[in-house]
Amino acid sequence: MAKEIIKIENLKRYFKVGDETVKALRGVSFTIYEGEFVTIMGTSGSGKSTLLNTLGCLDTPTSGEYYLDGIAVKGMGKNERARIRNRKIGFIFQNYNLLPKTTALENVELPLLYNSSVSAKERSERAEKCLREVGLGERLFHKSNQMSGGQQQRVAIARALVNNPVIILADEATGNLDTRTSFSILTLFQRLYKEGKTIIFVTHNPEIALYSSRNIMLRDGHIVSDEYNSDIKSAEEVYRNLPEEND
Amino acid sequence: MNIQNLFKIAIKALGNNKMRCFLTMLGVIIGVGAVIAMLAIGQGSKNSIKAQISEMGSNMIMIMPGAERRGGVRQSSDDMQTLKPADYEAIVSQATGIAHITPTVSSSGQWVNGNNNYPSQAQGVNTQYLDIRQRKVAEGEMFTEADVKTAAKVCILGKTLVDNLFPDGSDPIGKVVRFGSIPLTVIGVLDEKGYNTMGQDQDDLALVPYTTVMKRMLAIDYLQGIQASAIDENRTEETIEEITDILRTQHKLREDQEDNFTIRSMQELAQMISSTSSMMTVLLACVAGISLLVGGIGIMNIMIVSVTERTREIGLRMSIGATGKDIMTQFLIEAIIISVTGGILGILTGAIATWMIKLFAHWPVQIDPSSVILSFVVCTAIGIIFGFYPAAKASNLDPIEAIRYE
Ligand SMILES: Nc1ncnc2c1ncn2[C@@H]1O[C@H](COP(=O)(O)OP(=O)(O)O)[C@@H](O)[C@H]1O
Ligand SMILES: [Mg+2]
């Protein structure tokens, strides 16, 4: 039996907007094991981002239990949650969120700057290694604004890998990219999955479910389906067969 | 999270906006520069007053005609003619606490030797003036008591006058120069003293028997003042009382009448000048301090803008593990770097300004190390105080909202 990385039980998240209560999550439960590549799917407003923010310890649920890597997150203070984010989670955002005017290497080093147990030397070594992993070994010193969208997202992925997180959380990571670049990024995620990384990939694009090992469907804050995928398609093949554009 | 890393982050962030960073610093630079220069001027003038006093001797006593001035009321010229040669003689014969004493009368005018002119004064004194002022005749001779009695047409010139009246370097002794229309024989040259700490030329001086000035130049029968030195510095007060008694008797003043003369000791005078200069220093420093405050507000303003502009960045940093305290510290460090760097540049600017004031205006200036330390401390404090609000604002952002901020 694989290790439980994430376990949530009856997770609810309500937002008070004026007099009304928006129920973004209405009781969600699942367990994610080490080495899974889970896509979370649903239409816009179905609660995907809210769920991911909660899993990423950025948001606290209104009620329900959450265990990350065996640790109960409920009741943790702000600083403790910051520490968890720093040590156990790798975040990837739709709009990359790289620091402007900053090199790829420095962007990737960023999470380790907030971890005083990592020395400066180790920091740059690890950042460089992660950039090589995502195929940017030649662009260590390129500034973020000198790179294409796909390259920026690769930097963001390297940044999410650099702290050896127990889980990688991606929110619409290919949302801003064209099809071809999306597939190259997806190829990268599949490679990380093969290497044994645990990934949660949030998307509203149903097609992407074909490339993950498990798909959870959300609708109006409920899980409507949770299915394993035994026939994972290769993103790399699709990528190769796509006509090359000027990238 | 260690401070060293936060420092790196802060420096990097400031480096991304060098121009803005410099303009923000400019407020602090000007503020600190002004404070340093103002305090240097204040300290300099205070020092020079002190030095002046020790140069002149703190046992000096000055007697001036007219009642003590109050509230800036001008006195009629009659009131300024109350000191007579007879008063001087009375003090000489009766006072016991006095070492040296001289009447003083001076006339402004043009010194002339052939084609050479020099505007200055003729300082009418007696032979004891040299002892009171601790001066010497370097060449030739001082005039004598006999010269004073006969109102002799002789003079002792200071170096500056010699240089201007005898530019060819010829020996002035025995030559006849004119002061206005009166021919005077040069019988001596004063020792060279140079500029005093107040920036006055102590060699721009010509001594003439006071009787000569009174009778031949001004045609007056009164003295403009009397200068004396007490035997004992510590008994100046008693000596002043003694002189007061003598003069009141001389002037036949009744009990209920006020003195129609004023006596000041050097000590008193020094205190007066130094308290005025202290007040000026405080005022100047206040004005300078206000500009420093404005600089601080500038920092706060820019930091607030910067926090708003960098909301996304803050959200990102938080999402990858920066705590509120990390964010707060980063922005505080940014503010402190601006204020302290501005402070250091300001100290340099102030030092340069001070040096220029000394060079071009010849004002006595002195940068007190304590004012440098003070500026430094104040700058750090300003960085912390004015950086605190924006930094707190940044650290209280909600990471989810911040990262979505457009
Ligand atoms: N901070 C918030 N305040 C109020 N309502 C929110 C907030 N965040 C999300 N919601 C609401 O919760 C629901 C789910 O949002 P979200 O999780 O962003 O959906 P998705 O990512 O699937 O598009 C939406 O109706 C949204 O309006
Ligand atoms: Mg979303």
Side-chain angles (χ1 to χ4, degrees):
Chain A
M1 186 80 184
K3 193 174 155 200
E4 286 178 0
I5 297 294
I6 281 178
K7 184 175 179 180
I8 53 174
E9 285 167 356
N10 202 19
L11 207 65
K12 291 180 182 166
R13 179 67 169 105
Y14 298 164
F15 294 104
K16 280 238 154 43
V17 181
D19 299 337
E20 281 174 57
T21 306
V22 180
K23 299 183 173 178
L25 298 175
R26 301 164 187 250
V28 179
S29 308
F30 57 65
T31 304
I32 289 170
Y33 298 94
E34 188 168 31
E36 284 193 295
F37 181 3
V38 182
T39 42
I40 294 180
M41 219 154 275
T43 53
S44 179
S46 55
K48 306 181 298 290
S49 294
T50 307
L51 177 58
L52 202 75
N53 288 337
T54 310
L55 296 181
C57 297
L58 283 170
D59 202 357
T60 40
T62 311
S63 70
E65 298 297 327
Y66 174 25
Y67 301 93
L68 174 68
D69 203 20
I71 307 160
V73 176
K74 191 175 160 178
M76 276 190 175
K78 265 187 170 183
N79 289 346
E80 272 177 289
R81 281 190 282 131
R83 195 182 154 85
I84 292 271
R85 292 198 292 270
N86 188 239
R87 306 295 156 87
K88 293 196 178 285
I89 291 165
F91 252 114
I92 299 160
F93 304 92
Q94 179 170 1
N95 44 18
Y96 331 127
N97 278 314
L98 300 183
L99 291 185
K101 300 183 194 171
T102 306
T103 64
L105 194 68
E106 284 172 312
N107 265 296
V108 176
E109 281 182 353
L110 202 59
L112 301 180
L113 273 177
Y114 293 97
N115 181 347
S116 48
S117 63
V118 180
S119 70
K121 185 163 170 282
E122 189 187 347
R123 193 161 65 220
S124 66
E125 280 169 4
R126 272 165 70 173
E128 192 179 329
K129 183 171 151 273
C130 290
L131 278 165
R132 287 193 198 291
E133 258 173 68
V134 300
L136 289 177
E138 309 301 311
R139 295 199 158 75
L140 300 179
F141 302 105
H142 284 220
K143 298 259 169 85
S144 47
N145 35 323
Q146 299 166 337
M147 287 187 281
S148 70
Q151 287 169 342
Q152 289 190 52
Q153 195 60 297
R154 281 169 192 273
V155 175
I157 293 169
R159 185 179 61 197
L161 292 171
V162 79
N163 57 343
N164 286 323
V166 296
I167 187 148
I168 296 166
L169 304 175
D171 193 352
E172 308 273 8
T174 55
N176 276 3
L177 302 172
D178 60 77
T179 315
R180 198 179 136 81
T181 317
S182 294
F183 274 100
S184 83
I185 294 294
L186 213 50
T187 307
L188 181 55
F189 273 102
Q190 281 195 331
R191 216 184 69 215
L192 295 172
Y193 162 62
K194 289 213 181 82
E195 286 168 10
K197 297 262 183 331
T198 315
I199 301 165
I200 299 182
F201 192 107
V202 161
T203 176
H204 65 273
N205 181 358
E207 206 193 332
I208 293 179
L210 301 172
Y211 305 91
S212 68
S213 71
R214 178 180 173 189
N215 183 42
I216 295 172
M217 279 282 280
L218 277 186
R219 188 186 299 149
D220 300 331
H222 289 292
I223 294 181
V224 290
S225 76
D226 180 353
E227 288 164 354
Y228 286 85
N229 179 9
S230 50
D231 179 26
I232 303 171
K233 280 180 65 175
S234 163
E236 195 175 3
E237 262 172 45
V238 182
Y239 173 71
R240 286 229 197 86
N241 294 331
L242 279 173
E244 266 191 55
E245 284 165 51
N246 310 329
D247 186 25
Chain B
M1 181 62 199
N2 59 23
I3 285 284
Q4 203 188 337
N5 287 351
L6 287 175
F7 242 101
K8 265 185 210 158
I9 293 169
I11 286 170
K12 173 93 192 152
L14 291 175
N16 281 345
N17 232 324
K18 291 192 192 71
M19 188 64 186
R20 174 196 283 185
C21 186
F22 173 72
L23 288 175
T24 313
M25 267 180 206
L26 207 54
V28 181
I29 294 174
I30 291 170
V32 171
V35 169
I36 294 278
M38 294 307 156
L39 291 179
I41 291 169
Q43 189 61 42
S45 69
K46 217 182 256 180
N47 286 356
S48 85
I49 290 163
K50 269 194 205 138
Q52 189 91 338
I53 291 156
S54 66
E55 263 170 35
M56 289 199 194
S58 48
N59 57 348
M60 246 186 66
I61 294 168
M62 281 151 292
I63 306 161
M64 289 152 284
E68 195 160 350
R69 280 217 238 159
R70 292 212 187 90
V73 179
R74 278 194 134 217
Q75 296 182 350
S76 72
S77 59
D78 273 357
D79 291 339
M80 298 309 285
Q81 299 178 8
T82 53
L83 282 183
K84 306 283 177 181
D87 295 336
Y88 158 67
E89 273 144 30
I91 298 170
V92 170
S93 60
Q94 294 169 38
T96 56
I98 282 175
H100 302 289
I101 183 163
T102 176
T104 57
V105 278
S106 77
S107 170
S108 299
Q110 196 82 4
W111 287 89
V112 184
N113 176 34
N115 291 328
N116 302 307
N117 282 273
Y118 192 72
S120 184
Q121 290 192 330
Q123 186 74 41
V125 293
N126 72 7
T127 53
Q128 294 185 25
Y129 178 85
L130 296 180
D131 296 314
I132 297 171
R133 286 306 184 94
Q134 289 157 31
R135 299 286 301 246
K136 283 193 183 66
V137 172
E139 291 167 46
E141 298 285 336
M142 180 60 178
F143 51 74
T144 60
E145 286 298 334
D147 290 331
V148 173
K149 275 211 180 75
T150 58
K153 295 190 225 173
V154 292
C155 65
I156 316 287
L157 296 182
K159 188 72 172 48
T160 304
L161 278 152
V162 172
D163 289 345
N164 282 284
L165 297 178
F166 300 93
D168 55 354
S170 61
D171 183 9
I173 308 284
K175 301 269 164 56
V176 177
V177 296
R178 276 190 298 120
F179 181 75
S181 58
I182 298 150
L184 298 165
T185 308
V186 181
I187 58 166
V189 174
L190 281 167
D191 56 340
E192 199 174 341
K193 276 251 172 143
Y195 285 81
N196 71 4
T197 40
M198 295 270 248
Q200 288 165 335
D201 182 4
Q202 299 177 90
D203 298 322
D204 185 2
L205 177 69
L207 301 181
V208 178
Y210 73 94
T211 45
T212 312
V213 176
M214 282 173 73
K215 289 175 190 152
R216 299 186 194 274
M217 296 177 184
L218 299 173
I220 53 173
D221 65 346
Y222 57 90
L223 300 175
Q224 288 168 346
I226 299 172
Q227 288 184 11
S229 58
I231 293 172
D232 183 353
E233 187 181 320
N234 301 318
R235 293 189 51 199
T236 323
E237 284 303 311
E238 288 147 57
T239 311
I240 288 174
E241 272 165 38
E242 191 181 23
I243 297 170
T244 307
D245 287 342
I246 295 168
L247 287 180
R248 284 188 69 91
T249 317
Q250 273 285 317
H251 293 175
K252 302 190 173 68
L253 295 175
R254 292 189 311 269
E255 279 291 312
D256 59 331
Q257 279 178 310
E258 278 186 38
D259 294 347
N260 56 0
F261 53 89
T262 310
I263 308 180
R264 284 257 151 70
S265 69
M266 203 62 209
Q267 286 156 343
E268 260 182 316
L269 202 71
Q271 261 165 19
M272 260 170 55
I273 299 170
S274 119
S275 76
T276 340
S277 105
S278 290
M279 210 169 77
M280 277 310 283
T281 309
V282 169
L283 269 174
L284 291 174
C286 276
V287 171
I290 287 169
S291 67
L292 192 56
L293 188 73
V294 172
I297 293 170
I299 293 182
M300 176 140 88
N301 182 25
I302 283 300
M303 292 305 292
I304 289 174
V305 171
S306 168
V307 167
T308 312
E309 251 182 17
R310 286 155 64 192
T311 301
R312 279 259 296 273
E313 176 197 321
I314 295 163
L316 166 75
R317 288 184 188 281
M318 287 179 156
S319 72
I320 58 166
T323 59
K325 202 176 134 212
D326 290 334
I327 299 295
M328 170 118 178
T329 314
Q330 176 192 333
F331 278 88
L332 263 185
I333 290 174
E334 284 184 29
I336 293 170
I337 287 176
I338 291 180
S339 65
V340 169
T341 312
I344 292 169
L345 293 178
I347 289 168
L348 286 177
T349 311
I352 292 169
T354 304
W355 178 74
M356 302 250 274
I357 288 168
K358 192 188 175 104
L359 198 68
F360 294 115
H362 297 293
W363 287 7
V365 290
Q366 201 212 334
I367 296 181
D368 200 348
S370 70
S371 76
V372 172
I373 295 166
L374 181 81
S375 302
F376 208 80
V377 172
V378 167
C379 277
T380 316
I382 276 184
I384 294 172
I385 292 164
F386 289 98
F388 190 84
Y389 171 70
K393 199 175 140 166
S395 71
N396 284 330
L397 286 174
D398 177 61
I400 304 169
E401 276 166 31
I403 207 154
R404 286 213 199 108
Y405 184 88
E406 291 302 328

